[in-house]
Amino acid sequence: MVKKLWTSSFVLVAGGWSALLLSLFYYVIDVRRFRGWAMPFVWMGTNALTIYLVSNVVDFDALSARFVGGPIATWLDATVMPHFGSVVLALVGLLLCFLFCRFLYRRQIFLRL
């Protein structure tokens, strides 16, 4: 973090936005009971320590580059918009993390301390 960034006004604005978003998600998920869209966050949250440890061993960026890197990323950069291939690479890496967490969640595998 940049030390100059943490001014008192920045902390108040960030805290205010965090409180507003927390109340919005509480209302949507707990009060209105719209929970289906939040399941990937449950998968990631129940295996947060596991995915952190696995991401130090398994290079998800290299795996996503195997799937959509090289000519696909170059084609996306040339036809869609510049640097769009990098965005797709990052999203595929995140998707691989979510799929791994879903696999662990479905098998009831949790790393607990």
Side-chain angles (χ1 to χ4, degrees):
M1 296 287 176
V2 179
K3 186 139 180 95
K4 294 179 189 176
L5 186 67
W6 289 97
T7 61
S8 58
S9 60
F10 175 78
V11 170
L12 288 174
V13 169
W17 277 109
S18 299
L20 286 173
L21 289 173
L22 177 66
S23 63
L24 173 73
F25 289 133
Y26 171 74
Y27 177 74
V28 169
I29 294 172
D30 288 337
V31 175
R32 301 293 295 174
R33 302 214 185 264
F34 295 131
R35 295 182 178 169
W37 64 274
M39 278 309 293
F41 300 112
V42 172
W43 304 333
M44 191 69 81
T46 55
N47 289 306
L49 185 59
T50 307
I51 196 66
Y52 173 74
L53 293 174
V54 168
S55 68
N56 288 321
V57 176
V58 177
D59 191 7
F60 287 107
D61 294 332
L63 282 174
S64 66
R66 286 276 192 188
F67 290 120
V68 293
I72 297 173
T74 306
W75 178 80
L76 289 171
D77 288 339
T79 57
V80 178
M81 66 186 312
H83 305 292
F84 190 70
S86 299
V87 172
V88 171
L89 278 171
L91 290 175
V92 168
L94 186 63
L95 177 69
L96 290 173
C97 289
F98 275 116
L99 290 175
F100 180 68
C101 286
R102 181 181 183 268
F103 170 78
L104 293 175
Y105 186 81
R106 303 256 315 190
R107 302 280 190 282
Q108 298 293 314
I109 300 171
F110 305 111
L111 179 63
R112 297 184 181 140
L113 293 180

